[in-house]
Amino acid sequence: MDAAAAEMADRVRALLMSEPGLEEKRMFGTRAFLLDGRILVGVRAGAVLLVRVTPERGTTLLTEPGVAVAVMGAKSMGPSWLDVAPTVLADDEALMFWIDAARESAGA
């Protein structure tokens, strides 16, 4: 994990530390944050935030600046897995927007 990713992971951890059922794991080169065993968000190299949402929500969120469908290797992950550029996550309010989007989708 590079320095930018480590810093982003620290930010995510601080925002989620009081969340019951939260677990943190290294998975597929990502620092993943799981809620009740399901990936909520992950931090990838370069401080890119990987966000898991429903396909419907993902299609809507793809219109936001700095958001793209996540790709692992040569495989597109589809609209349920979004990469959010670190430039969009400059403050904790913006980061929390994406964490909340993932949390809402996890409860759906």
Side-chain angles (χ1 to χ4, degrees), residues 1-104:
M1 179 179 294
D2 60 30
E7 182 179 327
M8 182 63 72
D10 289 344
R11 288 180 60 203
V12 170
R13 191 178 303 109
L15 291 172
L16 289 173
M17 73 172 55
S18 63
E19 188 76 39
L22 184 73
E23 184 180 1
E24 184 177 340
K25 287 186 178 180
R26 288 193 51 85
M27 301 173 76
F28 313 111
T30 300
R31 175 70 60 180
F33 294 85
L34 294 80
L35 185 61
D36 299 323
R38 291 179 44 115
I39 297 174
L40 191 62
V41 296
V43 179
R44 296 164 55 118
V48 172
L49 187 70
L50 177 67
V51 181
R52 183 178 185 184
V53 293
T54 63
E56 298 80 20
R57 181 81 164 128
T59 299
T60 301
L61 290 170
L62 278 167
T63 63
E64 295 290 325
V67 180
V69 172
V71 175
M72 290 205 177
K75 183 180 177 190
S76 170
M77 301 302 289
S80 293
W81 297 92
L82 306 176
D83 276 342
V84 181
T87 54
V88 177
L89 307 168
D91 59 39
D92 286 347
E93 183 178 337
L95 178 55
M96 201 64 204
F97 170 84
W98 292 100
I99 291 171
D100 284 342
R103 187 182 298 145
E104 290 165 13

